[in-house]
Amino acid sequence: MRAQLARDFERFGSELPRDFAGHIREAYRIDLAARYLGFPLPHPIGKGSGQLSLSQEQLENDRAAGLAFAVLKTVIAEDSAGIRAMDAWAIHETRMKVETVRSASGLEGWTVTWKGRGWDRSFESYLELVRAAGEMTRSGGMLALPSVKYHLPRVDESFREGEYRHTTERLAQAWGGEALALEKDFSPTLAGDSLSDERGRILRWLEEVPALIRRSAGGTTVQVALKLMNARHGDSFQLDMVEAAGGADALVCFNRLWSAERRVAYGGYDLSERNLRALAAVKSARVHRPPLSGTGNVSSGRMILEYAKHGCESVQLHTFFQLPLSEYPASAGSRTQRALHALLFHPESGLIAGMLDLEESGRIHRREGELRFLDVQHS
Ligand SMILES: Cc1cc2nc3c(=O)[nH]c(=O)nc-3n(C[C@H](O)[C@H](O)[C@H](O)COP(=O)(O)O)c2cc1C
């Protein structure tokens, strides 16, 4: 199998087959089946919300590459009069800088430095994208779902329910189908904002928002994922947040770190180390929690497995899809294809190699002849 892996790595570097998950199942007897928000996925690798899912063309390229799912850029919620409580998040910024970053532990990784925030075009234009995402999901091409930033009140305020209602109803209509799936974003810029000074305020949001979104959908069922921030209140507060968010249908753990000094969000190994530390605390506390999707510095198949060992059933990447082309071992294909090729087939750091190693060390076992990605969380 190792020899086959070396061969596949070589030949798929010039062209990745669309049904690579089928090939992996046949050739290695490895079932990469994964899950996000109740949707079965052919493998665990998806795209996190952001600048890489702003258009139908981007979605179509990702579908063609074989990505498992994509989360659309976060839109800022509005009420029927077009008023947005979180208006400060709808700012326009195009320049992104992809650069290396060294973690406190001395590891070199990548980060994207960018001062923008949410969707900066009209809500109507977002709804058009959501329509295409709904069709793509229903046709079985690729799961694609919206992401929203809704009003978040101070402790003595109530939620602006009109904003929740208008936005959720319109999204449900546009996405179509019987149930809407969406992510609610708690972003690093929110973590750095004075709104997030108080722990009690954040915990109240996490407790109340899932039910509020569900009852704002005009009768459509909503599957709600909360994308949790890395709050400024220390590692143990991440566990408090996961506990408070128990009413969600899934949690995305955890969005980028906030640099108060540079006033930008960042990633790299500081992010994955903190996330994995917090997820280890969640695992050992055995709290009741929704299913998890991991995000943060996923830059190899081995890192996917680290998130999986800590309970994640899928992963959401952004930075690794933005690297300079010279950083990918593949010589052809879109960035998504090149990234998938490295994440899956790299003979040392790829997902297949990592699964075979877990088998050799006795941490996972074949069932009916197959190794299963979803078994890794119990290893
Ligand atoms: C330029 C940029 C824009 C992003 N915009 C959003 C966003 O609008 N909503 C959101 O939930 N996450 C956003 N993210 C976070 C990513 O989806 C992802 O969770 C995070 O960057 C960690 O993964 P990574 O280390 O693979 O980049 C953004 C990230 C980057 C780099």
PDB file of all heavy atoms in Angstrom, residues 47-51 72-74 96 110 112 114 117-118 147 183 185 227 252 254-256 267-268 271 295-298 316-320 322, ligand 1:
ATOM      1  N   LYS A  47     -14.252  23.782   2.757  1.00  0.00           N
ATOM      2  CA  LYS A  47     -13.690  25.135   2.737  1.00  0.00           C
ATOM      3  C   LYS A  47     -14.409  25.995   3.753  1.00  0.00           C
ATOM      4  O   LYS A  47     -15.638  26.054   3.760  1.00  0.00           O
ATOM      5  CB  LYS A  47     -13.866  25.687   1.319  1.00  0.00           C
ATOM      6  CG  LYS A  47     -13.179  26.992   1.081  1.00  0.00           C
ATOM      7  CD  LYS A  47     -13.148  27.313  -0.401  1.00  0.00           C
ATOM      8  CE  LYS A  47     -11.879  26.798  -1.072  1.00  0.00           C
ATOM      9  NZ  LYS A  47     -11.723  27.251  -2.450  1.00  0.00           N
ATOM     10  N   GLY A  48     -13.652  26.635   4.635  1.00  0.00           N
ATOM     11  CA  GLY A  48     -14.234  27.524   5.637  1.00  0.00           C
ATOM     12  C   GLY A  48     -14.753  28.794   4.980  1.00  0.00           C
ATOM     13  O   GLY A  48     -14.294  29.195   3.898  1.00  0.00           O
ATOM     14  N   SER A  49     -15.720  29.417   5.630  1.00  0.00           N
ATOM     15  CA  SER A  49     -16.296  30.668   5.125  1.00  0.00           C
ATOM     16  C   SER A  49     -15.196  31.714   4.907  1.00  0.00           C
ATOM     17  O   SER A  49     -14.263  31.811   5.690  1.00  0.00           O
ATOM     18  CB  SER A  49     -17.303  31.170   6.171  1.00  0.00           C
ATOM     19  OG  SER A  49     -17.732  32.469   5.849  1.00  0.00           O
ATOM     20  N   GLY A  50     -15.328  32.490   3.843  1.00  0.00           N
ATOM     21  CA  GLY A  50     -14.342  33.547   3.624  1.00  0.00           C
ATOM     22  C   GLY A  50     -14.269  34.012   2.187  1.00  0.00           C
ATOM     23  O   GLY A  50     -15.232  33.872   1.421  1.00  0.00           O
ATOM     24  N   GLN A  51     -13.083  34.509   1.818  1.00  0.00           N
ATOM     25  CA  GLN A  51     -12.913  35.150   0.509  1.00  0.00           C
ATOM     26  C   GLN A  51     -12.887  34.148  -0.637  1.00  0.00           C
ATOM     27  O   GLN A  51     -12.844  34.547  -1.796  1.00  0.00           O
ATOM     28  CB  GLN A  51     -11.613  35.958   0.499  1.00  0.00           C
ATOM     29  CG  GLN A  51     -11.538  37.021   1.572  1.00  0.00           C
ATOM     30  CD  GLN A  51     -12.848  37.704   1.815  1.00  0.00           C
ATOM     31  OE1 GLN A  51     -13.571  37.388   2.742  1.00  0.00           O
ATOM     32  NE2 GLN A  51     -13.192  38.632   0.938  1.00  0.00           N
ATOM     33  N   LEU A  72     -20.260  29.528   2.483  1.00  0.00           N
ATOM     34  CA  LEU A  72     -20.202  30.826   1.805  1.00  0.00           C
ATOM     35  C   LEU A  72     -19.686  31.900   2.766  1.00  0.00           C
ATOM     36  O   LEU A  72     -19.799  31.771   3.987  1.00  0.00           O
ATOM     37  CB  LEU A  72     -21.600  31.241   1.317  1.00  0.00           C
ATOM     38  CG  LEU A  72     -22.356  30.237   0.443  1.00  0.00           C
ATOM     39  CD1 LEU A  72     -23.690  30.848  -0.014  1.00  0.00           C
ATOM     40  CD2 LEU A  72     -21.522  29.821  -0.763  1.00  0.00           C
ATOM     41  N   LYS A  73     -19.162  32.961   2.172  1.00  0.00           N
ATOM     42  CA  LYS A  73     -18.722  34.126   2.943  1.00  0.00           C
ATOM     43  C   LYS A  73     -19.818  34.556   3.929  1.00  0.00           C
ATOM     44  O   LYS A  73     -21.014  34.468   3.608  1.00  0.00           O
ATOM     45  CB  LYS A  73     -18.430  35.256   1.944  1.00  0.00           C
ATOM     46  CG  LYS A  73     -18.039  36.567   2.564  1.00  0.00           C
ATOM     47  CD  LYS A  73     -16.694  36.479   3.218  1.00  0.00           C
ATOM     48  CE  LYS A  73     -16.376  37.705   4.056  1.00  0.00           C
ATOM     49  NZ  LYS A  73     -15.175  37.491   4.893  1.00  0.00           N
ATOM     50  N   THR A  74     -19.446  35.061   5.088  1.00  0.00           N
ATOM     51  CA  THR A  74     -20.433  35.497   6.084  1.00  0.00           C
ATOM     52  C   THR A  74     -21.150  36.773   5.641  1.00  0.00           C
ATOM     53  O   THR A  74     -20.511  37.783   5.325  1.00  0.00           O
ATOM     54  CB  THR A  74     -19.742  35.787   7.435  1.00  0.00           C
ATOM     55  OG1 THR A  74     -19.120  34.588   7.886  1.00  0.00           O
ATOM     56  CG2 THR A  74     -20.740  36.267   8.482  1.00  0.00           C
ATOM     57  N   MET A  96      -5.316  40.949   0.384  1.00  0.00           N
ATOM     58  CA  MET A  96      -4.983  39.875   1.324  1.00  0.00           C
ATOM     59  C   MET A  96      -3.499  39.589   1.175  1.00  0.00           C
ATOM     60  O   MET A  96      -2.979  39.554   0.067  1.00  0.00           O
ATOM     61  CB  MET A  96      -5.745  38.592   0.976  1.00  0.00           C
ATOM     62  CG  MET A  96      -7.183  38.606   1.372  1.00  0.00           C
ATOM     63  SD  MET A  96      -7.919  36.976   1.176  1.00  0.00           S
ATOM     64  CE  MET A  96      -8.358  36.999  -0.547  1.00  0.00           C
ATOM     65  N   TRP A 110       1.535  29.243   8.005  1.00  0.00           N
ATOM     66  CA  TRP A 110       1.062  30.297   7.109  1.00  0.00           C
ATOM     67  C   TRP A 110      -0.126  31.026   7.719  1.00  0.00           C
ATOM     68  O   TRP A 110      -0.915  30.433   8.466  1.00  0.00           O
ATOM     69  CB  TRP A 110       0.626  29.691   5.776  1.00  0.00           C
ATOM     70  CG  TRP A 110       1.764  29.177   4.959  1.00  0.00           C
ATOM     71  CD1 TRP A 110       2.276  27.912   4.991  1.00  0.00           C
ATOM     72  CD2 TRP A 110       2.547  29.901   4.011  1.00  0.00           C
ATOM     73  NE1 TRP A 110       3.321  27.794   4.109  1.00  0.00           N
ATOM     74  CE2 TRP A 110       3.517  29.004   3.495  1.00  0.00           C
ATOM     75  CE3 TRP A 110       2.542  31.229   3.548  1.00  0.00           C
ATOM     76  CZ2 TRP A 110       4.450  29.390   2.533  1.00  0.00           C
ATOM     77  CZ3 TRP A 110       3.468  31.603   2.584  1.00  0.00           C
ATOM     78  CH2 TRP A 110       4.410  30.691   2.083  1.00  0.00           C
ATOM     79  N   VAL A 112      -3.033  34.452   6.692  1.00  0.00           N
ATOM     80  CA  VAL A 112      -3.481  35.449   5.720  1.00  0.00           C
ATOM     81  C   VAL A 112      -3.819  36.723   6.484  1.00  0.00           C
ATOM     82  O   VAL A 112      -4.656  36.700   7.386  1.00  0.00           O
ATOM     83  CB  VAL A 112      -4.734  34.968   4.950  1.00  0.00           C
ATOM     84  CG1 VAL A 112      -5.174  36.010   3.923  1.00  0.00           C
ATOM     85  CG2 VAL A 112      -4.469  33.624   4.272  1.00  0.00           C
ATOM     86  N   TRP A 114      -5.421  40.251   6.591  1.00  0.00           N
ATOM     87  CA  TRP A 114      -6.513  40.881   5.845  1.00  0.00           C
ATOM     88  C   TRP A 114      -7.357  41.691   6.817  1.00  0.00           C
ATOM     89  O   TRP A 114      -7.664  41.225   7.916  1.00  0.00           O
ATOM     90  CB  TRP A 114      -7.367  39.762   5.222  1.00  0.00           C
ATOM     91  CG  TRP A 114      -8.510  40.216   4.400  1.00  0.00           C
ATOM     92  CD1 TRP A 114      -8.448  40.922   3.248  1.00  0.00           C
ATOM     93  CD2 TRP A 114      -9.905  39.967   4.660  1.00  0.00           C
ATOM     94  NE1 TRP A 114      -9.716  41.122   2.759  1.00  0.00           N
ATOM     95  CE2 TRP A 114     -10.618  40.556   3.605  1.00  0.00           C
ATOM     96  CE3 TRP A 114     -10.609  39.314   5.667  1.00  0.00           C
ATOM     97  CZ2 TRP A 114     -12.012  40.523   3.534  1.00  0.00           C
ATOM     98  CZ3 TRP A 114     -11.989  39.273   5.595  1.00  0.00           C
ATOM     99  CH2 TRP A 114     -12.681  39.873   4.540  1.00  0.00           C
ATOM    100  N   ARG A 117     -13.976  42.237   6.610  1.00  0.00           N
ATOM    101  CA  ARG A 117     -14.859  41.532   7.551  1.00  0.00           C
ATOM    102  C   ARG A 117     -15.903  40.722   6.786  1.00  0.00           C
ATOM    103  O   ARG A 117     -15.564  39.732   6.156  1.00  0.00           O
ATOM    104  CB  ARG A 117     -15.490  42.537   8.500  1.00  0.00           C
ATOM    105  CG  ARG A 117     -14.446  43.187   9.416  1.00  0.00           C
ATOM    106  CD  ARG A 117     -15.081  44.119  10.390  1.00  0.00           C
ATOM    107  NE  ARG A 117     -14.155  44.577  11.417  1.00  0.00           N
ATOM    108  CZ  ARG A 117     -14.544  45.190  12.515  1.00  0.00           C
ATOM    109  NH1 ARG A 117     -15.829  45.418  12.745  1.00  0.00           N
ATOM    110  NH2 ARG A 117     -13.654  45.582  13.402  1.00  0.00           N
ATOM    111  N   GLY A 118     -17.195  41.156   6.815  1.00  0.00           N
ATOM    112  CA  GLY A 118     -18.243  40.325   6.196  1.00  0.00           C
ATOM    113  C   GLY A 118     -18.480  40.651   4.715  1.00  0.00           C
ATOM    114  O   GLY A 118     -17.762  41.445   4.098  1.00  0.00           O
ATOM    115  N   SER A 147     -23.431  31.513   5.669  1.00  0.00           N
ATOM    116  CA  SER A 147     -22.923  31.862   7.000  1.00  0.00           C
ATOM    117  C   SER A 147     -23.418  33.271   7.310  1.00  0.00           C
ATOM    118  O   SER A 147     -23.447  34.129   6.432  1.00  0.00           O
ATOM    119  CB  SER A 147     -21.396  31.834   6.972  1.00  0.00           C
ATOM    120  OG  SER A 147     -20.861  32.541   8.068  1.00  0.00           O
ATOM    121  N   GLU A 183     -24.377  28.452   9.088  1.00  0.00           N
ATOM    122  CA  GLU A 183     -23.410  28.710  10.152  1.00  0.00           C
ATOM    123  C   GLU A 183     -23.633  30.098  10.704  1.00  0.00           C
ATOM    124  O   GLU A 183     -23.912  31.032   9.954  1.00  0.00           O
ATOM    125  CB  GLU A 183     -21.974  28.685   9.577  1.00  0.00           C
ATOM    126  CG  GLU A 183     -21.243  27.416   9.825  1.00  0.00           C
ATOM    127  CD  GLU A 183     -19.806  27.437   9.324  1.00  0.00           C
ATOM    128  OE1 GLU A 183     -19.163  28.509   9.234  1.00  0.00           O
ATOM    129  OE2 GLU A 183     -19.314  26.350   9.001  1.00  0.00           O
ATOM    130  N   ASP A 185     -21.606  32.915  12.550  1.00  0.00           N
ATOM    131  CA  ASP A 185     -20.193  33.220  12.773  1.00  0.00           C
ATOM    132  C   ASP A 185     -19.971  34.092  14.016  1.00  0.00           C
ATOM    133  O   ASP A 185     -20.578  35.154  14.152  1.00  0.00           O
ATOM    134  CB  ASP A 185     -19.668  33.943  11.512  1.00  0.00           C
ATOM    135  CG  ASP A 185     -18.237  34.420  11.675  1.00  0.00           C
ATOM    136  OD1 ASP A 185     -17.487  33.790  12.433  1.00  0.00           O
ATOM    137  OD2 ASP A 185     -17.880  35.423  11.018  1.00  0.00           O
ATOM    138  N   LYS A 227     -20.061  28.814  14.706  1.00  0.00           N
ATOM    139  CA  LYS A 227     -18.607  28.843  14.525  1.00  0.00           C
ATOM    140  C   LYS A 227     -18.039  29.665  15.668  1.00  0.00           C
ATOM    141  O   LYS A 227     -18.191  30.893  15.707  1.00  0.00           O
ATOM    142  CB  LYS A 227     -18.253  29.462  13.174  1.00  0.00           C
ATOM    143  CG  LYS A 227     -16.758  29.436  12.905  1.00  0.00           C
ATOM    144  CD  LYS A 227     -16.514  29.696  11.442  1.00  0.00           C
ATOM    145  CE  LYS A 227     -15.047  29.664  11.090  1.00  0.00           C
ATOM    146  NZ  LYS A 227     -14.856  29.892   9.654  1.00  0.00           N
ATOM    147  N   VAL A 252     -18.236  24.670  15.023  1.00  0.00           N
ATOM    148  CA  VAL A 252     -16.998  24.777  14.265  1.00  0.00           C
ATOM    149  C   VAL A 252     -15.962  25.351  15.220  1.00  0.00           C
ATOM    150  O   VAL A 252     -16.146  26.439  15.781  1.00  0.00           O
ATOM    151  CB  VAL A 252     -17.159  25.699  13.031  1.00  0.00           C
ATOM    152  CG1 VAL A 252     -15.891  25.642  12.182  1.00  0.00           C
ATOM    153  CG2 VAL A 252     -18.378  25.282  12.214  1.00  0.00           C
ATOM    154  N   PHE A 254     -11.883  26.220  16.124  1.00  0.00           N
ATOM    155  CA  PHE A 254     -12.376  27.534  16.564  1.00  0.00           C
ATOM    156  C   PHE A 254     -11.801  28.540  15.585  1.00  0.00           C
ATOM    157  O   PHE A 254     -10.680  28.350  15.103  1.00  0.00           O
ATOM    158  CB  PHE A 254     -11.863  27.866  17.977  1.00  0.00           C
ATOM    159  CG  PHE A 254     -12.316  26.892  19.047  1.00  0.00           C
ATOM    160  CD1 PHE A 254     -11.491  25.852  19.451  1.00  0.00           C
ATOM    161  CD2 PHE A 254     -13.565  27.030  19.632  1.00  0.00           C
ATOM    162  CE1 PHE A 254     -11.909  24.965  20.440  1.00  0.00           C
ATOM    163  CE2 PHE A 254     -13.976  26.148  20.638  1.00  0.00           C
ATOM    164  CZ  PHE A 254     -13.150  25.117  21.035  1.00  0.00           C
ATOM    165  N   ASN A 255     -12.479  29.644  15.381  1.00  0.00           N
ATOM    166  CA  ASN A 255     -12.016  30.655  14.414  1.00  0.00           C
ATOM    167  C   ASN A 255     -10.681  31.266  14.847  1.00  0.00           C
ATOM    168  O   ASN A 255     -10.211  31.045  15.950  1.00  0.00           O
ATOM    169  CB  ASN A 255     -13.090  31.735  14.231  1.00  0.00           C
ATOM    170  CG  ASN A 255     -13.075  32.325  12.823  1.00  0.00           C
ATOM    171  OD1 ASN A 255     -12.017  32.400  12.182  1.00  0.00           O
ATOM    172  ND2 ASN A 255     -14.222  32.754  12.336  1.00  0.00           N
ATOM    173  N   ARG A 256     -10.092  32.089  13.973  1.00  0.00           N
ATOM    174  CA  ARG A 256      -8.696  32.529  14.137  1.00  0.00           C
ATOM    175  C   ARG A 256      -8.463  33.336  15.413  1.00  0.00           C
ATOM    176  O   ARG A 256      -9.389  33.836  16.037  1.00  0.00           O
ATOM    177  CB  ARG A 256      -8.282  33.359  12.921  1.00  0.00           C
ATOM    178  CG  ARG A 256      -8.399  32.541  11.631  1.00  0.00           C
ATOM    179  CD  ARG A 256      -7.536  33.065  10.531  1.00  0.00           C
ATOM    180  NE  ARG A 256      -7.896  34.390  10.066  1.00  0.00           N
ATOM    181  CZ  ARG A 256      -7.106  35.121   9.275  1.00  0.00           C
ATOM    182  NH1 ARG A 256      -5.929  34.661   8.900  1.00  0.00           N
ATOM    183  NH2 ARG A 256      -7.501  36.301   8.855  1.00  0.00           N
ATOM    184  N   GLY A 267      -3.426  33.077  12.052  1.00  0.00           N
ATOM    185  CA  GLY A 267      -3.508  31.627  12.238  1.00  0.00           C
ATOM    186  C   GLY A 267      -2.128  31.027  12.432  1.00  0.00           C
ATOM    187  O   GLY A 267      -1.313  31.550  13.177  1.00  0.00           O
ATOM    188  N   GLY A 268      -1.855  29.922  11.745  1.00  0.00           N
ATOM    189  CA  GLY A 268      -0.582  29.220  11.936  1.00  0.00           C
ATOM    190  C   GLY A 268      -0.672  28.267  13.124  1.00  0.00           C
ATOM    191  O   GLY A 268      -1.757  27.925  13.591  1.00  0.00           O
ATOM    192  N   LEU A 271      -2.587  28.888  16.408  1.00  0.00           N
ATOM    193  CA  LEU A 271      -4.026  28.622  16.312  1.00  0.00           C
ATOM    194  C   LEU A 271      -4.322  27.133  16.496  1.00  0.00           C
ATOM    195  O   LEU A 271      -5.154  26.756  17.329  1.00  0.00           O
ATOM    196  CB  LEU A 271      -4.549  29.119  14.954  1.00  0.00           C
ATOM    197  CG  LEU A 271      -6.013  28.822  14.622  1.00  0.00           C
ATOM    198  CD1 LEU A 271      -6.951  29.429  15.655  1.00  0.00           C
ATOM    199  CD2 LEU A 271      -6.364  29.350  13.213  1.00  0.00           C
ATOM    200  N   THR A 295     -11.408  23.692  12.562  1.00  0.00           N
ATOM    201  CA  THR A 295     -10.829  24.693  11.659  1.00  0.00           C
ATOM    202  C   THR A 295      -9.594  25.291  12.326  1.00  0.00           C
ATOM    203  O   THR A 295      -9.555  25.424  13.545  1.00  0.00           O
ATOM    204  CB  THR A 295     -11.850  25.785  11.280  1.00  0.00           C
ATOM    205  OG1 THR A 295     -11.329  26.548  10.180  1.00  0.00           O
ATOM    206  CG2 THR A 295     -12.179  26.730  12.427  1.00  0.00           C
ATOM    207  N   GLY A 296      -8.601  25.639  11.510  1.00  0.00           N
ATOM    208  CA  GLY A 296      -7.418  26.303  12.041  1.00  0.00           C
ATOM    209  C   GLY A 296      -6.131  25.584  11.717  1.00  0.00           C
ATOM    210  O   GLY A 296      -5.836  24.531  12.271  1.00  0.00           O
ATOM    211  N   ASN A 297      -5.391  26.143  10.758  1.00  0.00           N
ATOM    212  CA  ASN A 297      -4.071  25.628  10.389  1.00  0.00           C
ATOM    213  C   ASN A 297      -4.100  24.171   9.933  1.00  0.00           C
ATOM    214  O   ASN A 297      -3.161  23.430  10.188  1.00  0.00           O
ATOM    215  CB  ASN A 297      -3.088  25.800  11.559  1.00  0.00           C
ATOM    216  CG  ASN A 297      -1.648  25.545  11.140  1.00  0.00           C
ATOM    217  OD1 ASN A 297      -1.236  25.910  10.037  1.00  0.00           O
ATOM    218  ND2 ASN A 297      -0.885  24.894  12.005  1.00  0.00           N
ATOM    219  N   VAL A 298      -5.151  23.760   9.274  1.00  0.00           N
ATOM    220  CA  VAL A 298      -5.145  22.414   8.692  1.00  0.00           C
ATOM    221  C   VAL A 298      -4.322  22.510   7.407  1.00  0.00           C
ATOM    222  O   VAL A 298      -4.743  23.107   6.420  1.00  0.00           O
ATOM    223  CB  VAL A 298      -6.575  21.906   8.406  1.00  0.00           C
ATOM    224  CG1 VAL A 298      -6.512  20.566   7.672  1.00  0.00           C
ATOM    225  CG2 VAL A 298      -7.346  21.754   9.716  1.00  0.00           C
ATOM    226  N   GLN A 316     -12.520  22.400   8.087  1.00  0.00           N
ATOM    227  CA  GLN A 316     -12.782  23.551   7.204  1.00  0.00           C
ATOM    228  C   GLN A 316     -11.498  24.367   7.080  1.00  0.00           C
ATOM    229  O   GLN A 316     -11.020  24.903   8.062  1.00  0.00           O
ATOM    230  CB  GLN A 316     -13.861  24.435   7.800  1.00  0.00           C
ATOM    231  CG  GLN A 316     -15.109  23.700   8.212  1.00  0.00           C
ATOM    232  CD  GLN A 316     -16.257  24.648   8.506  1.00  0.00           C
ATOM    233  OE1 GLN A 316     -16.158  25.857   8.304  1.00  0.00           O
ATOM    234  NE2 GLN A 316     -17.352  24.111   8.992  1.00  0.00           N
ATOM    235  N   LEU A 317     -10.970  24.441   5.858  1.00  0.00           N
ATOM    236  CA  LEU A 317      -9.697  25.131   5.640  1.00  0.00           C
ATOM    237  C   LEU A 317      -9.920  26.431   4.881  1.00  0.00           C
ATOM    238  O   LEU A 317     -10.845  26.531   4.070  1.00  0.00           O
ATOM    239  CB  LEU A 317      -8.768  24.282   4.770  1.00  0.00           C
ATOM    240  CG  LEU A 317      -8.201  22.969   5.273  1.00  0.00           C
ATOM    241  CD1 LEU A 317      -9.266  21.953   5.584  1.00  0.00           C
ATOM    242  CD2 LEU A 317      -7.233  22.398   4.249  1.00  0.00           C
ATOM    243  N   HIS A 318      -9.042  27.379   5.112  1.00  0.00           N
ATOM    244  CA  HIS A 318      -9.027  28.581   4.292  1.00  0.00           C
ATOM    245  C   HIS A 318      -7.599  28.837   3.808  1.00  0.00           C
ATOM    246  O   HIS A 318      -7.304  28.770   2.622  1.00  0.00           O
ATOM    247  CB  HIS A 318      -9.573  29.777   5.097  1.00  0.00           C
ATOM    248  CG  HIS A 318     -10.051  30.908   4.253  1.00  0.00           C
ATOM    249  ND1 HIS A 318      -9.199  31.741   3.570  1.00  0.00           N
ATOM    250  CD2 HIS A 318     -11.297  31.347   3.959  1.00  0.00           C
ATOM    251  CE1 HIS A 318      -9.895  32.640   2.902  1.00  0.00           C
ATOM    252  NE2 HIS A 318     -11.178  32.424   3.112  1.00  0.00           N
ATOM    253  N   THR A 319      -6.685  29.053   4.743  1.00  0.00           N
ATOM    254  CA  THR A 319      -5.323  29.458   4.384  1.00  0.00           C
ATOM    255  C   THR A 319      -4.646  28.464   3.437  1.00  0.00           C
ATOM    256  O   THR A 319      -3.974  28.869   2.485  1.00  0.00           O
ATOM    257  CB  THR A 319      -4.493  29.624   5.669  1.00  0.00           C
ATOM    258  OG1 THR A 319      -5.143  30.609   6.484  1.00  0.00           O
ATOM    259  CG2 THR A 319      -3.071  30.061   5.374  1.00  0.00           C
ATOM    260  N   PHE A 320      -4.815  27.162   3.674  1.00  0.00           N
ATOM    261  CA  PHE A 320      -4.094  26.173   2.860  1.00  0.00           C
ATOM    262  C   PHE A 320      -4.540  26.199   1.390  1.00  0.00           C
ATOM    263  O   PHE A 320      -3.829  25.706   0.523  1.00  0.00           O
ATOM    264  CB  PHE A 320      -4.245  24.766   3.453  1.00  0.00           C
ATOM    265  CG  PHE A 320      -3.266  23.770   2.879  1.00  0.00           C
ATOM    266  CD1 PHE A 320      -1.899  23.912   3.096  1.00  0.00           C
ATOM    267  CD2 PHE A 320      -3.695  22.707   2.107  1.00  0.00           C
ATOM    268  CE1 PHE A 320      -0.984  23.011   2.555  1.00  0.00           C
ATOM    269  CE2 PHE A 320      -2.794  21.788   1.554  1.00  0.00           C
ATOM    270  CZ  PHE A 320      -1.439  21.945   1.786  1.00  0.00           C
ATOM    271  N   GLN A 322      -4.798  28.946  -0.153  1.00  0.00           N
ATOM    272  CA  GLN A 322      -4.312  30.239  -0.668  1.00  0.00           C
ATOM    273  C   GLN A 322      -2.795  30.309  -0.821  1.00  0.00           C
ATOM    274  O   GLN A 322      -2.252  31.392  -1.047  1.00  0.00           O
ATOM    275  CB  GLN A 322      -4.740  31.353   0.297  1.00  0.00           C
ATOM    276  CG  GLN A 322      -6.229  31.609   0.337  1.00  0.00           C
ATOM    277  CD  GLN A 322      -6.538  32.822   1.195  1.00  0.00           C
ATOM    278  OE1 GLN A 322      -6.609  32.706   2.402  1.00  0.00           O
ATOM    279  NE2 GLN A 322      -6.696  33.981   0.583  1.00  0.00           N
TER     280      GLN A 322
HETATM  281  C1  LIG B   1      -9.149  36.144   4.507  1.00  0.00           C
HETATM  282  C2  LIG B   1     -10.039  35.372   5.420  1.00  0.00           C
HETATM  283  C3  LIG B   1     -11.397  35.682   5.505  1.00  0.00           C
HETATM  284  C4  LIG B   1     -12.233  34.961   6.358  1.00  0.00           C
HETATM  285  N1  LIG B   1     -13.573  35.298   6.424  1.00  0.00           N
HETATM  286  C5  LIG B   1     -14.391  34.582   7.232  1.00  0.00           C
HETATM  287  C6  LIG B   1     -15.778  34.861   7.290  1.00  0.00           C
HETATM  288  O1  LIG B   1     -16.299  35.756   6.622  1.00  0.00           O
HETATM  289  N2  LIG B   1     -16.562  34.102   8.117  1.00  0.00           N
HETATM  290  C7  LIG B   1     -16.046  33.080   8.872  1.00  0.00           C
HETATM  291  O2  LIG B   1     -16.798  32.417   9.594  1.00  0.00           O
HETATM  292  N3  LIG B   1     -14.732  32.789   8.818  1.00  0.00           N
HETATM  293  C8  LIG B   1     -13.899  33.507   8.033  1.00  0.00           C
HETATM  294  N4  LIG B   1     -12.559  33.181   7.962  1.00  0.00           N
HETATM  295  C9  LIG B   1     -12.049  32.068   8.791  1.00  0.00           C
HETATM  296  C10 LIG B   1     -11.817  30.787   7.988  1.00  0.00           C
HETATM  297  O3  LIG B   1     -13.025  30.262   7.488  1.00  0.00           O
HETATM  298  C11 LIG B   1     -11.127  29.703   8.845  1.00  0.00           C
HETATM  299  O4  LIG B   1     -12.041  29.208   9.813  1.00  0.00           O
HETATM  300  C12 LIG B   1      -9.897  30.211   9.574  1.00  0.00           C
HETATM  301  O5  LIG B   1      -9.119  31.032   8.721  1.00  0.00           O
HETATM  302  C13 LIG B   1      -9.034  29.088  10.108  1.00  0.00           C
HETATM  303  O6  LIG B   1      -8.637  28.198   9.102  1.00  0.00           O
HETATM  304  P1  LIG B   1      -7.230  28.337   8.309  1.00  0.00           P
HETATM  305  O7  LIG B   1      -6.134  28.300   9.335  1.00  0.00           O
HETATM  306  O8  LIG B   1      -7.244  27.135   7.405  1.00  0.00           O
HETATM  307  O9  LIG B   1      -7.256  29.611   7.543  1.00  0.00           O
HETATM  308  C14 LIG B   1     -11.709  33.898   7.128  1.00  0.00           C
HETATM  309  C15 LIG B   1     -10.349  33.580   7.018  1.00  0.00           C
HETATM  310  C16 LIG B   1      -9.520  34.290   6.187  1.00  0.00           C
HETATM  311  C17 LIG B   1      -8.069  33.908   6.107  1.00  0.00           C
END
